[in-house]
Structures are given as C-alpha cells and as structure tokens.
Amino acid sequence: MLLAAIRRWFSEDFYVQIHENRYVITSLDNPGESRRFPATDAFSTSRLLVGHFLVAETLLRASLGQMNGGSRLKSYRLIMHPRDKAEGGLCEVETRVLQDLAFGAGAHDAIIWEKEPLSATQAKALWDNPQ
C-alpha cells in the first residue's frame, strides 16, 4: 500500500499516439495538455512504424522529459497507440517493440492499445479497468 502511494507520487500517466515519424503525447494527469513531437531523424521505415528503435526510443524519452518538466525522478504509465501502419492488427513482434519502447523510455507499466482513438478520460479509465 505504501509502495503504491510512493510510486504514484513519482509517476505520471500519458497517452502516446504513434504516427509515422512523430508522437502525439497527452498528459492524463493534467487534462488538456497535449503536444506533438516530430522526429528530427526518421524512426519509421517504408514497412514499419518503428523501424529504427534507438531513434524512436530517444525521441520518446526526450518527449516525455519535456512533458514532465525535465524531472528525472518520474517514471511513467504509458498507453501506446500505433496510429499508422497497423492495418490488420499488430503482430507479436510489433507489440513487443512498443512495449520495449515504453519501458526503455522510463515506463514502469504500459498498455498497447490497437482500437479507436481515446479521449483523455477514456485513456485514464483504462488503468482502472484494463481490457
């Protein structure tokens, strides 16, 4: 119980929409705060949404740092939502890439969301009622 309370104190929730070579990140703790982060170096390829893993991970880590004011004490719960190049659903490898991307960027928990786009309220509710 105490550990959970401490973790929440040093944790933030974000909804990360992954588009070709850019992220759109919405804070679930500060309603209305949403920012776009375009890649200076492409992380998508002609076949894969995340074709250059280290570039994508570096951009996600830096983007989350900007969203939380640069605090290095924070960890994250992320909802990772691929918005491009996901026709027909994700394969096991693509799901693993998104999970590893989230954890490499500082997340302690991640949900991979493949359905319709979420509002901030719907995204926050996913943590209370995972599907």
Side-chain angles (χ1 to χ4, degrees), residues 100-112:
D100 286 354
L101 190 60
F103 295 135
H108 66 269
D109 201 357
I111 293 173
I112 309 303

Side-chain angles (χ1 to χ4, degrees), residues 29-51:
D29 296 321
N30 300 316
E33 184 180 354
S34 182
R35 294 177 58 190
R36 297 178 189 279
F37 295 94
T40 53
D41 295 323
F43 61 78
S44 299
T45 65
S46 60
R47 291 181 27 222
L48 299 169
L49 184 58
V50 179

Side-chain angles (χ1 to χ4, degrees), residues 15-106:
Y15 174 42
V16 180
Q17 296 180 60
I18 308 163
H19 296 269
E20 193 168 331
N21 294 315
R22 71 183 164 95
Y23 297 118
V24 177
I25 302 177
T26 302
S27 172
L28 302 180
D29 296 321
N30 300 316
E33 184 180 354
S34 182
R35 294 177 58 190
R36 297 178 189 279
F37 295 94
T40 53
D41 295 323
F43 61 78
S44 299
T45 65
S46 60
R47 291 181 27 222
L48 299 169
L49 184 58
V50 179
H52 300 285
F53 185 85
L54 291 177
V55 174
E57 182 183 50
T58 301
L59 176 61
L60 183 58
R61 187 180 310 114
S63 301
L64 291 168
Q66 288 181 31
M67 290 291 290
N68 80 14
S71 173
R72 293 182 179 244
L73 296 175
K74 296 278 186 171
S75 69
Y76 313 105
R77 292 192 310 177
L78 302 179
I79 297 172
M80 304 291 285
H81 187 184
R83 297 297 309 275
D84 297 330
K85 300 185 181 191
E87 301 81 21
L90 300 176
C91 70
E92 187 177 316
V93 172
E94 292 167 315
T95 300
R96 179 66 184 266
V97 164
L98 294 177
Q99 287 174 337
D100 286 354
L101 190 60
F103 295 135

